[in-house]
Amino acid sequence: MRALGRRSGAVLEGLADAFAAPAEPLPRPATTAMRVDAQRWLAATPVGQRLAVRGALVALELAGRLLRPRVGFAGRSRAARLTLLDRLGRIAPPVDAAIDALGRMAVLAYWSDATVQHALGRVDGSPVATGTTTTGAPR
Protein backbone atom coordinates (compact mmCIF):
# COMPACT_ATOMS: atom_id res chain seq x y z
CA MET A 1 0.00 0.00 0.00
CA ARG A 2 1.31 3.42 -0.91
CA ALA A 3 1.50 5.76 2.05
CA LEU A 4 0.16 8.70 0.03
CA GLY A 5 -1.98 8.70 -3.06
CA ARG A 6 -1.86 11.33 -5.79
CA ARG A 7 -4.61 13.48 -4.29
CA SER A 8 -3.50 13.20 -0.68
CA GLY A 9 0.06 14.05 -1.73
CA ALA A 10 -1.18 17.14 -3.56
CA VAL A 11 -3.14 18.18 -0.46
CA LEU A 12 -0.01 17.75 1.67
CA GLU A 13 1.89 20.01 -0.75
CA GLY A 14 -0.97 22.53 -0.55
CA LEU A 15 -0.76 22.47 3.25
CA ALA A 16 2.99 23.05 3.11
CA ASP A 17 2.46 25.99 0.77
CA ALA A 18 -0.23 27.46 3.04
CA PHE A 19 1.61 26.98 6.34
CA ALA A 20 5.25 27.54 5.29
CA ALA A 21 4.38 30.27 2.74
CA PRO A 22 7.64 29.91 0.82
CA ALA A 23 8.79 32.86 -1.25
CA GLU A 24 11.67 33.28 -3.67
CA PRO A 25 14.35 31.94 -3.63
CA LEU A 26 12.67 28.95 -1.96
CA PRO A 27 11.04 26.41 -4.25
CA ARG A 28 7.30 25.76 -4.31
CA PRO A 29 6.38 22.57 -2.40
CA ALA A 30 5.10 20.89 -5.58
CA THR A 31 8.60 21.17 -7.12
CA THR A 32 10.33 19.43 -4.20
CA ALA A 33 10.57 15.80 -3.13
CA MET A 34 8.63 16.49 0.08
CA ARG A 35 5.88 14.06 -0.98
CA VAL A 36 8.44 11.24 -1.25
CA ASP A 37 9.85 12.09 2.19
CA ALA A 38 6.38 12.17 3.73
CA GLN A 39 5.56 8.82 2.11
CA ARG A 40 8.69 7.34 3.64
CA TRP A 41 7.72 8.63 7.10
CA LEU A 42 4.16 7.40 6.79
CA ALA A 43 5.25 3.99 5.53
CA ALA A 44 7.11 3.54 8.81
CA THR A 45 4.03 4.30 10.93
CA PRO A 46 1.39 1.79 12.03
CA VAL A 47 -1.32 1.14 9.44
CA GLY A 48 -4.01 2.81 11.57
CA GLN A 49 -2.11 6.09 11.78
CA ARG A 50 -1.28 5.97 8.08
CA LEU A 51 -4.94 5.48 7.19
CA ALA A 52 -5.97 8.30 9.54
CA VAL A 53 -3.54 10.74 7.91
CA ARG A 54 -4.59 9.73 4.40
CA GLY A 55 -8.23 9.98 5.39
CA ALA A 56 -7.74 13.46 6.83
CA LEU A 57 -5.93 14.63 3.71
CA VAL A 58 -8.67 13.27 1.46
CA ALA A 59 -11.28 14.91 3.73
CA LEU A 60 -9.55 18.28 3.18
CA GLU A 61 -9.69 17.74 -0.58
CA LEU A 62 -13.38 16.87 -0.39
CA ALA A 63 -14.13 19.85 1.87
CA GLY A 64 -12.67 22.08 -0.81
CA ARG A 65 -14.84 20.41 -3.44
CA LEU A 66 -17.99 20.98 -1.38
CA LEU A 67 -17.51 24.72 -1.72
CA ARG A 68 -16.28 24.70 -5.33
CA PRO A 69 -17.07 21.38 -7.02
CA ARG A 70 -14.39 21.55 -9.69
CA VAL A 71 -11.61 22.84 -7.44
CA GLY A 72 -10.51 20.85 -4.41
CA PHE A 73 -8.18 21.94 -1.63
CA ALA A 74 -4.96 21.48 -3.60
CA GLY A 75 -6.19 23.45 -6.60
CA ARG A 76 -6.96 26.61 -4.64
CA SER A 77 -4.75 29.64 -4.16
CA ARG A 78 -2.77 29.96 -0.94
CA ALA A 79 -5.20 32.57 0.42
CA ALA A 80 -8.22 30.39 -0.44
CA ARG A 81 -6.62 27.37 1.25
CA LEU A 82 -5.93 29.40 4.39
CA THR A 83 -9.52 30.67 4.41
CA LEU A 84 -10.85 27.14 4.05
CA LEU A 85 -8.58 25.86 6.84
CA ASP A 86 -9.75 28.68 9.09
CA ARG A 87 -13.40 27.89 8.40
CA LEU A 88 -12.88 24.18 9.00
CA GLY A 89 -10.90 24.83 12.18
CA ARG A 90 -13.83 26.71 13.67
CA ILE A 91 -16.05 23.62 13.47
CA ALA A 92 -14.65 22.04 16.64
CA PRO A 93 -11.38 21.94 18.59
CA PRO A 94 -10.53 18.39 17.41
CA VAL A 95 -10.83 19.50 13.79
CA ASP A 96 -8.55 22.46 14.47
CA ALA A 97 -6.04 20.14 16.19
CA ALA A 98 -6.08 17.75 13.24
CA ILE A 99 -5.50 20.60 10.78
CA ASP A 100 -2.65 21.87 12.94
CA ALA A 101 -1.04 18.40 13.08
CA LEU A 102 -1.33 17.92 9.32
CA GLY A 103 0.08 21.40 8.73
CA ARG A 104 3.04 20.70 10.98
CA MET A 105 3.71 17.43 9.18
CA ALA A 106 3.59 19.22 5.82
CA VAL A 107 5.90 21.99 7.00
CA LEU A 108 8.39 19.48 8.40
CA ALA A 109 8.37 17.56 5.11
CA TYR A 110 8.91 20.81 3.20
CA TRP A 111 11.69 22.30 5.34
CA SER A 112 13.59 19.00 5.52
CA ASP A 113 13.61 18.60 1.71
CA ALA A 114 17.10 18.68 0.20
CA THR A 115 16.09 21.23 -2.46
CA VAL A 116 14.80 23.62 0.21
CA GLN A 117 17.87 23.09 2.36
CA HIS A 118 20.10 23.83 -0.62
CA ALA A 119 18.13 27.03 -1.34
CA LEU A 120 18.78 28.03 2.28
CA GLY A 121 22.50 27.55 1.77
CA ARG A 122 22.79 24.24 3.56
CA VAL A 123 24.90 21.66 1.80
CA ASP A 124 25.26 18.18 3.31
CA GLY A 125 23.99 19.28 6.72
CA SER A 126 26.14 22.40 6.96
CA PRO A 127 24.64 25.42 8.73
CA VAL A 128 22.77 28.16 6.91
CA ALA A 129 25.18 30.46 5.09
CA THR A 130 26.21 33.57 7.00
CA GLY A 131 24.22 36.64 6.10
CA THR A 132 20.92 34.88 5.45
CA THR A 133 17.89 34.20 7.58
CA THR A 134 16.09 30.88 7.81
CA THR A 135 13.84 32.03 4.97
CA GLY A 136 16.86 32.53 2.76
CA ALA A 137 16.41 36.31 2.61
CA PRO A 138 19.39 38.57 3.22
CA ARG A 139 19.60 40.03 6.71
Side-chain angles (χ1 to χ4, degrees):
M1 179 173 110
R2 287 184 318 182
L4 285 176
R6 183 181 55 82
R7 282 189 186 169
S8 53
V11 171
L12 188 69
E13 290 168 350
L15 281 168
D17 182 65
F19 279 82
E24 289 293 329
L26 298 175
R28 292 177 306 121
T31 64
T32 68
M34 67 166 281
R35 189 185 301 200
V36 175
D37 293 338
Q39 282 200 95
R40 198 170 319 132
W41 299 342
L42 285 173
T45 65
V47 174
Q49 288 177 348
R50 190 177 326 142
L51 290 174
V53 169
R54 269 186 91 171
L57 291 170
V58 169
L60 278 176
E61 178 68 13
L62 293 176
R65 290 187 184 277
L66 284 174
L67 297 173
R68 288 182 62 197
R70 295 179 193 260
V71 181
F73 180 83
R76 294 169 174 268
S77 68
R78 181 183 295 164
R81 285 192 301 267
L82 287 170
T83 300
L84 177 61
L85 290 170
D86 185 54
R87 289 176 67 185
L88 291 172
R90 292 177 192 212
I91 292 172
V95 174
D96 190 44
I99 289 170
D100 184 57
L102 289 172
R104 289 173 187 262
M105 182 182 129
V107 168
L108 180 60
Y110 176 75
W111 287 114
S112 64
D113 180 74
T115 306
V116 175
Q117 291 296 309
H118 183 72
L120 291 172
R122 292 179 185 236
V123 180
D124 298 327
S126 67
V128 174
T130 306
T132 62
T133 64
T134 56
T135 61
R139 290 185 182 184

